[in-house]
Amino acid sequence: MNILLFGKNGQVGWELQRALAPLGNLIALDRHSTDYCGDFENPTGIAETVRKLQPTVIVNATAYTAVDKAESEQEKAQLINATTLGALAGAAETCGAWLVHYSTDYVFDGSGDTPWKESDTTAPLNVYGQTKLEGEQAIARNMQRYLIFRTSWVYAARGNNFAKTMIRLAKDRDTLSVINDQFGAPTGADLIADSTAHAIRVALDKPEVSGLYHLIAAGTTTWYDYASKVIHYAQSKGIALNVKTINPVSTSAFPTPAKRPGNSRLDTRKFRETFALTLPDWETGVTRLIDELYA
Ligand code: NDP
């Protein structure tokens, strides 16, 4: 079985290279690949890659993920996150492939305090969220067999993310201010990749599982509690950090070009029940990340 992976060097893409390898013959591409086009600014090239390789499963970890920059680069974000997805989905459907894709909690407006279900109304607050939603719709419109996993607050040992930024700032500064009124769950790229591999095995046997799922670690936290956990755990391991005080602040203390949702809680029941998987607590993965970074 040929498995085609796009975006092999992102946080999730890197972990997918490991997790998908045992499932079949893995062809992993990124924007610089030369044998086949992996550049999502080239929709025709991406469709051509699918036609040439005729994969059984396509996994797309490519995305325009610069949330604030997207506000001033709308066309580019739209091309990568939506237009090319339409071309990819069309080519995948023609060759009868499964398409696995990732989306985001940012498709919701962040109101209320209950976890969002897959069937809840979407209303993105920013350009990134809007383009990711259009990507989901392009797949659902064009395809019979797909898995879309909405995830949130992704981190990995490789790549840039909030946890690593907090450690770096805690080395340089003695006071940090961190937002305490946005709620969600930090989710490891390794958990996403491993869960994807298991879900693909189920989907190949049971095509009726095709659809949209929420896939995040269990539990809920805020950026402030997440930062505190990372810093205190790093300190408990003897890592020298200068930070003395971590202040909880509201979102309004850090104005950004893109608005963020306050409530990013996602209900994962559909994912867990459909694929018979357990999603561990977010703290398990975050402490493991620190252990891995500072072994
Ligand atoms: P990363 O930003 O780590 O990876 C995205 C990858 O896409 C990078 O390798 C990047 O390459 C690549 N890419 C960007 N533009 C192009 C292009 N034109 N052609 C080819 N490749 C391109 O993202 P994550 O791994 O964290 O995200 C994986 C998925 O999860 C995405 O769908 C994202 O929307 C979703 N998600 C992520 C969240 C997060 O907190 N990170 C939260 C919720 C959902 P390069 O490095 O060369 O630019």
Side-chain angles (χ1 to χ4, degrees):
M1 168 169 86
N2 276 346
I3 304 167
L4 173 57
L5 168 64
F6 288 111
K8 68 177 176 133
N9 285 317
Q11 296 190 93
V12 174
W14 178 254
E15 291 295 332
L16 282 166
Q17 287 195 58
R18 172 188 57 71
L20 297 177
L23 297 189
N25 174 43
L26 180 63
I27 303 141
L29 305 177
D30 69 6
R31 75 163 96 217
H32 306 296
S33 299
T34 48
D35 288 351
Y36 300 98
C37 175
D39 180 1
F40 269 55
E41 288 183 66
N42 180 355
T44 315
I46 294 296
E48 188 58 24
T49 297
V50 172
R51 275 194 291 274
K52 280 185 187 153
L53 290 171
Q54 296 284 311
T56 306
V57 179
I58 302 163
V59 183
N60 175 39
T62 302
Y64 182 106
T65 53
V67 176
D68 286 315
K69 217 169 159 196
E71 296 295 309
S72 54
E73 284 194 343
Q74 182 159 0
E75 276 184 21
K76 188 172 172 186
Q78 185 126 23
L79 176 59
I80 294 167
N81 289 347
T83 311
T84 300
L85 252 290
L88 172 58
E93 185 66 11
T94 304
C95 80
W98 275 89
L99 176 59
V100 183
H101 177 68
Y102 303 94
S103 189
T104 170
D105 52 305
Y106 283 18
V107 298
F108 294 113
D109 68 6
S111 57
D113 57 9
T114 45
W116 297 99
K117 290 194 168 67
E118 290 81 353
S119 52
D120 285 336
T121 304
T122 51
L125 297 175
N126 56 46
V127 168
Y128 167 75
Q130 179 61 35
T131 61
K132 292 295 293 183
L133 178 60
E134 287 169 19
E136 291 182 4
Q137 291 164 343
I139 293 172
R141 206 171 40 240
N142 282 292
M143 296 198 71
Q144 301 293 321
R145 291 192 287 181
Y146 63 87
L147 298 172
I148 299 173
F149 298 127
R150 288 190 187 136
T151 189
S152 73
W153 300 17
V154 178
Y155 64 82
R158 186 182 145 116
N160 297 319
N161 52 65
F162 176 84
K164 288 165 83 175
T165 303
M166 287 302 116
I167 301 261
R168 180 169 45 78
L169 293 176
K171 284 183 178 163
D172 293 347
R173 302 186 188 173
D174 61 7
T175 304
L176 291 180
S177 296
V178 188
I179 289 170
N180 200 30
D181 57 2
Q182 292 173 21
F183 296 84
T187 302
D190 50 356
L191 176 63
I192 296 169
D194 292 341
S195 300
T196 297
H198 286 295
I200 288 172
R201 293 289 298 268
V202 172
L204 289 171
D205 270 354
K206 286 170 55 183
E208 63 272 21
V209 302
S210 173
L212 172 67
Y213 296 89
H214 289 171
L215 165 51
I216 60 169
T220 301
T221 187
T222 66
W223 294 110
Y224 166 78
D225 283 330
Y226 176 18
S228 302
K229 175 80 192 180
V230 166
I231 288 166
H232 293 146
Y233 186 67
Q235 283 171 327
S236 77
K237 286 178 64 76
I239 295 151
L241 302 176
N242 285 320
V243 73
K244 305 275 180 303
T245 315
I246 312 170
N247 291 320
V249 297
S250 74
T251 299
S252 57
F254 285 116
T256 51
K259 269 192 177 175
R260 264 86 172 161
N263 175 23
S264 280
R265 297 171 183 90
L266 299 179
D267 185 327
T268 61
R269 177 188 290 264
K270 183 182 172 195
F271 176 84
R272 287 180 284 112
E273 290 185 351
T274 303
F275 299 106
L277 290 172
T278 299
L279 293 166
D281 196 87
W282 69 269
E283 290 179 88
T284 310
V286 166
T287 51
R288 186 181 158 86
L289 169 75
I290 307 299
D291 286 339
E292 212 172 317
L293 290 173
Y294 301 98

